[in-house]
């Protein structure tokens, strides 16, 4: 049984991961988010809910007490500041394992016309998410950064991964697939340590996502 702290627990991927954690594991979950009413439907003796902001270092440090894994599903203009605060709180609480959701293209690793389209579409978003990832990559944490392709709501788990220095594959992946990868990584304390994983659905290459 693993104790998992989920930051940004009302996010779409996070909600799917929470369902999979409760259905497929014996893990205990602590859900940390700004508005706890957004996850009020998760009634379980394995779930604790905390109202909090991820830039509140003191409250975040308290939430990390006795946890095994932090899974961060965060977004916003201040994503680098959130990464810095998460790092400080993990140091203060003695936690090492972090699973961090980022996005494709932060290393300019997406090739061809799709890479050009992705860079033009996401723009400064990529810079902010690179800066946040750099905070973690320069740390001593046992992090795994996940860089999903463009996300779909397809009811499927079908994905492959690429490493930080490999060209990104494909154009899309389901949120359910990313959630499954998060759950898998949380179960294995040795998998994906200090790696940055591109994640896509196989055979979805193209100039842009098919659904866009």
């Amino acid at each position: 049984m693993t104790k998992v702290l989920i930051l940004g627990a009302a996010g779409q991927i996070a909600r799917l991961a929470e369902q999979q954690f409760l259905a497929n594991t014996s893990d205990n979950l602590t859900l940390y988010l700004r508005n706890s009413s957004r996850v009020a439907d998760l009634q379980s003796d394995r779930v604790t809910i905390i109202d909090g902001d991820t830039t509140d270092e003191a409250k975040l440090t308290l939430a990390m007490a006795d946890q095994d894994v932090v899974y961060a599903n965060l977004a916003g203009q201040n994503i680098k500041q959130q990464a810095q605060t998460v790092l400080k709180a993990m140091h203060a609480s003695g936690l090492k394992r972090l699973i961090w959701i980022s996005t494709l293209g932060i290393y300019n690793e997406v090739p061809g016309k799709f890479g050009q389209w992705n860079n033009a579409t996401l723009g400064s978003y990529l810079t902010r998410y690179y800066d946040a990832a750099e905070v973690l990559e320069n740390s001593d944490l046992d992090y795994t950064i996940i860089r999903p392709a463009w996300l779909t709501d397809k009811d499927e788990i079908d994905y492959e991964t690429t490493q930080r220095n490999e060209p990104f594959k494909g154009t899309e992946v389901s949120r359910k697939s990313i959630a499954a990868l998060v759950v898998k990584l949380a179960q294995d304390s040795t998998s994906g340590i200090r790696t940055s994983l591109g994640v896509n659905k196989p055979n979805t290459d193209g100039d842009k996502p098919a659904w866009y």
Side-chain angles (χ1 to χ4, degrees), residues 120-141:
T121 304
L122 296 181
S124 62
Y125 182 91
L126 295 175
T127 302
R128 293 197 300 274
Y129 276 72
Y130 171 80
D131 290 344
E134 188 176 43
V135 170
L136 307 179
E137 291 176 323
N138 290 334
S139 77
D140 60 351
L141 297 180

Side-chain angles (χ1 to χ4, degrees), residues 147 160-164 166-169 196-200:
R147 294 173 282 114
E160 61 184 352
T161 63
T162 49
Q163 297 296 320
R164 188 193 194 286
E166 294 178 331
F168 198 92
K169 293 182 179 180
S196 180
L197 300 176
V199 190
N200 68 285

Side-chain angles (χ1 to χ4, degrees), residues 1-4 6 13-29 46 69-73 97 99-101 144 146 157 159 175-191 197:
M1 185 268 290
T2 303
K3 297 178 181 177
V4 183
I6 301 178
I13 296 171
R15 293 304 309 264
L16 292 167
E18 288 150 16
Q19 294 168 15
Q20 293 182 33
F21 274 118
L22 293 175
N24 302 327
T25 78
S26 60
D27 295 351
N28 287 340
L29 308 180
R46 292 163 52 200
V69 180
V70 178
Y71 155 42
N73 194 98
R97 186 71 176 110
I99 302 167
W100 180 271
I101 303 295
T144 305
I146 296 175
I157 297 175
Y159 67 89
R175 290 180 173 86
K176 190 171 183 179
S177 293
I178 302 301
L181 176 58
V182 168
V183 174
K184 179 181 177 181
L185 289 168
Q187 303 312 297
D188 185 349
S189 61
T190 65
S191 180
L197 300 176

Side-chain angles (χ1 to χ4, degrees), residues 61-72:
T61 301
L62 287 174
M64 289 183 181
D66 298 322
Q67 302 291 338
D68 299 309
V69 180
V70 178
Y71 155 42

Side-chain angles (χ1 to χ4, degrees), residues 4-178:
V4 183
L5 173 64
I6 301 178
L7 309 180
Q12 289 176 279
I13 296 171
R15 293 304 309 264
L16 292 167
E18 288 150 16
Q19 294 168 15
Q20 293 182 33
F21 274 118
L22 293 175
N24 302 327
T25 78
S26 60
D27 295 351
N28 287 340
L29 308 180
T30 299
L31 311 184
Y32 188 99
L33 68 166
R34 287 194 298 265
N35 183 356
S36 61
S37 66
R38 297 180 66 192
V39 293
D41 58 304
L42 281 180
Q43 301 295 326
S44 170
D45 57 5
R46 292 163 52 200
V47 174
T48 301
I49 301 173
I50 299 174
D51 275 295
D53 192 292
T54 46
T55 58
D56 185 338
E57 183 182 343
K59 191 164 192 177
L60 196 54
T61 301
L62 287 174
M64 289 183 181
D66 298 322
Q67 302 291 338
D68 299 309
V69 180
V70 178
Y71 155 42
N73 194 98
L74 304 174
Q77 295 282 341
N78 66 339
I79 189 72
K80 179 180 179 180
Q81 181 187 358
Q82 293 181 73
Q84 291 168 330
T85 307
V86 168
L87 175 60
K88 290 176 183 176
M90 291 185 73
H91 281 161
S93 59
L95 260 174
K96 294 281 285 185
R97 186 71 176 110
L98 172 67
I99 302 167
W100 180 271
I101 303 295
S102 185
T103 189
L104 79 166
I106 60 172
Y107 310 118
N108 199 31
E109 79 280 17
V110 184
K113 290 185 177 179
F114 176 52
Q116 296 170 15
W117 177 85
N118 185 71
N119 290 349
T121 304
L122 296 181
S124 62
Y125 182 91
L126 295 175
T127 302
R128 293 197 300 274
Y129 276 72
Y130 171 80
D131 290 344
E134 188 176 43
V135 170
L136 307 179
E137 291 176 323
N138 290 334
S139 77
D140 60 351
L141 297 180
D142 291 337
Y143 65 81
T144 305
I145 297 168
I146 296 175
R147 294 173 282 114
W150 283 68
L151 294 161
T152 75
D153 290 319
K154 293 178 181 177
D155 185 14
E156 63 184 15
I157 297 175
D158 186 10
Y159 67 89
E160 61 184 352
T161 63
T162 49
Q163 297 296 320
R164 188 193 194 286
N165 296 315
E166 294 178 331
F168 198 92
K169 293 182 179 180
T171 60
E172 64 180 61
V173 70
S174 69
R175 290 180 173 86
K176 190 171 183 179
S177 293
I178 302 301

